[in-house]
Amino acid sequence: MTRGTRTDSHTPYLDGGHDWRDAATRYALLPLRVFLGVTFIYAGLDKLTDSAFMAESGSGSIGDMMSAARDASAIPAMIDMALKNPVGFGYAIAIGELAVGIGTLIGLLARLAALGGALISLSLWLTVSWSSSPYYYGNDLPYLMAWIPLILAGAPIFSVDAALRSRRNRRRARSYR
C-alpha cells in the first residue's frame, strides 16, 4: 500500500472527495432510529387507545397478560410489583414508549431516549418474552440489541440534538473572535 494515496477502486463524489461509503456511514443509524421511533410511538398509542388493554382483568387486559407471564418470567417479582396496580403500570409503559419514540424519532435527548427504550425492552424481555423457546423467537431481545447503537452514537444527523449542538458551536466560534 502506498502511503498517502488511496488504492481502493471506488469513485469519490465530485464535491470534496466524499464517497458513498462516507455518506452510508453518516446515515447508517437513521433507518434504525426511524424504525424504533415509529414502532415505540405506535406501541404507546396502541396501548393508550385500547380500553381492553388498560384494564385490571378481562380478555386482552394488561392485568391478565402479566398474570399469565408471571410464572414463566425471569424475575417474577417485577411482575408482582406491577400487578399491585396493573392499569397504572400500563399507563407508565405506554407513556414511556411514547416519550422514547418521540425522543428517538426527532432526536431530542436521543441517547437518553435510547436508554429508556433499552430499559423498556429489557424489562419486557425479562418478563413477557423470557419464556420464548428458543430465545430468538421472542421479539424483545432484538429490540434491546437494536437500542445499543443509538445509546452509543445518539442522533448525529437530522435531529434536535444535532441542531442544538450546531447552534452551540456557532456561538462558541463567535465568542472567540
Side-chain angles (χ1 to χ4, degrees):
M1 173 146 168
T2 306
R3 188 170 234 156
T5 304
R6 291 185 78 152
T7 59
D8 50 354
S9 61
H10 68 278
T11 306
Y13 288 116
L14 298 175
D15 62 348
H18 296 291
D19 63 16
W20 66 271
R21 292 177 187 162
D22 294 332
T25 299
R26 192 170 31 262
Y27 298 106
L29 293 178
L30 193 58
L32 183 62
R33 214 177 96 205
V34 169
F35 170 75
L36 290 171
V38 168
T39 300
F40 269 58
I41 290 170
Y42 179 79
L45 289 174
D46 189 43
K47 287 173 180 65
L48 289 172
T49 57
D50 185 357
S51 59
F53 179 79
M54 290 295 182
E56 285 193 38
S57 61
S59 179
S61 71
I62 185 152
D64 282 1
M65 182 185 74
M66 288 190 303
S67 294
R70 187 205 177 278
D71 293 333
S73 73
I75 307 173
M78 283 177 66
I79 294 179
D80 290 339
M81 187 172 54
L83 280 171
K84 291 178 182 174
N85 185 358
V87 175
F89 179 76
Y91 278 109
I93 287 290
I95 292 168
E97 286 174 337
L98 268 176
V100 163
I102 292 168
T104 300
L105 194 59
I106 67 171
L108 177 62
L109 302 172
R111 284 188 170 103
L112 183 61
L115 179 62
L119 291 174
I120 290 171
S121 297
L122 176 64
S123 67
L124 292 173
W125 177 56
L126 291 173
T127 55
V128 179
S129 63
W130 180 259
S131 62
S132 297
S133 181
Y135 73 93
Y136 50 83
Y137 280 172
N139 63 343
D140 296 309
L141 183 58
Y143 277 103
L144 172 61
M145 294 298 117
W147 285 113
I148 293 173
L150 296 179
I151 292 170
L152 297 173
I157 59 164
F158 300 130
S159 68
V160 174
D161 290 347
L164 293 173
R165 187 171 39 259
S166 175
R167 187 175 176 185
R168 276 192 311 269
N169 290 342
R170 281 194 306 271
R171 283 185 182 166
R172 281 188 197 132
R174 273 186 264 142
S175 70
Y176 287 122
R177 289 182 194 179

